[in-house]
Amino acid sequence: MPPSAASLAIERHDEALVLRLAGRWRLAEHPPGAGAVVAALADGPPVPRVTFDTTGITGWDTALAVFLWGVQKATAERGIALDADGLPDGARRLLDLAGAVPAAQDAGKKEARRTGLVTRVGEATLRIWQTLLGALAFLGETALAFVAFLGGRARYRKTDLWLVLQDVGPRALPIVTLISFLVGVILAFVGAIQLSRFGAQIFIADLVGLAMVREMGPMMAAIIMSGRTGAAFAARISTMQVNQEVDALKTLGISPIEFLVLPRILALVIMMPLLTLYADLVGIAGGMAVSISLFGLTFTQYWNETLVALSLQQFAIGLVKAVVFGALIALAGCYQGIKTSGSASAVGTAATSAVVVAIVAIVVADGLFAVALNALGI
């Protein structure tokens, strides 16, 4: 063994187990682990304490700290005293620091509390109430930010708004194109199976057009943007929250709602109607491709029947839904990001929660739209 390599010699005496360390205890030297010490403590007769002789050490780094932590853990489990006087000053301080957190020994062993049904229901109710209060506070601050925006007093960077517009708009076109075209194809096939029984394939155009414009266009665009953009909003803002960048904005007197949330809500509210209109046209094109290629319709027949079935009112319904869905997606993503706290693992939780909350809110809002439109006879 080269003299510079890390070495460990274990000497057993009646009064102590002496660990003689020599050489360079660095990670690159692959020094011995604490396993040999653990084996010596387990195999031989018990000793009252463990001491160190480190006069032969020529250099060390975290490899020595890891070794000492393993030895400390082994002696603590057996009730053996550990004499750290022979260690270098820095290593001894690291060992004292590691031993200053006794709660870490019981990490992950939380004792489950036995609570009754009433207690659990009460705790769940309090959590829900606190969540509602937090959401209402966020909505209130967002409303105030919009008032400031309308008054020209909102503090945000216009370049951020343009970047978010580009991200939620043009960059989302490929996935919106693919999904909308396939939805149009599926609707055409589903309608054709039933309508072909009566020789009414021409009404595939009515089915695809109305379904895409009123429901599937805004709905599918919103779901796509929930997974793509809502999660991104939550991840970015929660990362800033974990890194204390949001706290820095508050320290500078800048509202995080105006600086971070407002541009994202504006971008989605502006782009969602445009994406929905594009999704409507692509879905109609998908239904047209199936009808012309498989069911004997001509382009002129399909186009004329689509114009008969659709009206500006139908398009307006879908576009209004798109505006509402865009606001819900942005609010869900930004709220989950703003309320994030803790470690980096909370970022993934925030992104997942943003998608779930946004999709649930979209479905609920679409149901309310359906009830309202039915009551109005539209």
Side-chain angles (χ1 to χ4, degrees), residues 13 59 84 162 183 194-195 222 231 253 265 280 286 298 315 336 344 354:
H13 302 284
W162 286 111
V183 169
Q194 303 300 324
L195 294 173
I265 296 178
D280 295 341
T298 65
F315 279 99
Q336 294 297 329

Side-chain angles (χ1 to χ4, degrees), residues 95-253:
L95 193 62
D96 293 339
L97 182 63
V101 191
Q105 299 177 0
D106 298 325
K109 299 180 181 179
K110 297 180 180 178
E111 183 179 356
R113 293 183 302 161
R114 293 185 177 181
T115 56
L117 177 62
V118 176
T119 303
R120 292 197 297 270
V121 171
E123 291 175 348
T125 303
L126 289 176
R127 286 194 298 268
I128 294 173
W129 178 248
Q130 292 171 355
T131 301
L132 288 176
L133 290 179
L136 288 175
F138 175 78
L139 289 175
E141 293 178 2
T142 304
L144 292 176
F146 266 101
V147 172
F149 167 77
L150 295 176
R153 295 178 288 103
R155 303 180 66 182
Y156 69 97
R157 295 189 302 183
K158 293 181 174 59
T159 54
D160 289 345
L161 176 59
W162 286 111
L163 288 174
V164 179
L165 280 171
Q166 182 180 4
D167 184 59
V168 304
R171 293 180 181 175
L173 288 179
I175 184 63
V176 172
T177 302
L178 175 63
I179 299 300
S180 300
F181 185 84
L182 293 177
V183 169
V185 169
I186 293 169
L187 289 174
F189 272 113
V190 171
I193 293 174
Q194 303 300 324
L195 294 173
S196 60
R197 298 179 181 180
F198 308 99
Q201 292 91 332
I202 187 63
F203 292 109
I204 297 175
D206 300 61
L207 172 64
V208 175
L210 288 172
M212 287 301 303
V213 169
R214 288 183 63 114
E215 292 293 340
M216 300 307 296
M219 176 69 77
M220 295 310 300
I223 291 177
I224 292 169
M225 298 305 289
S226 297
R228 181 188 179 277
T229 303
F233 286 177
R236 290 170 186 170
I237 296 178
S238 61
T239 300
M240 296 179 68
Q241 187 75 269
V242 171
N243 293 337
Q244 298 182 339
E245 296 175 51
V246 175
D247 294 334
L249 289 175
K250 295 178 181 178
T251 302
L252 294 173

Side-chain angles (χ1 to χ4, degrees), residues 66-98:
V66 172
F67 171 79
L68 295 177
W69 169 246
V71 173
Q72 184 185 54
K73 184 178 179 181
T75 55
E77 291 175 350
R78 292 166 174 79
I80 300 174
L82 184 66
D83 186 356
D85 291 339
L87 294 174
D89 291 339
R92 185 166 60 251
R93 288 196 298 268
L94 286 176
L95 193 62
D96 293 339
L97 182 63

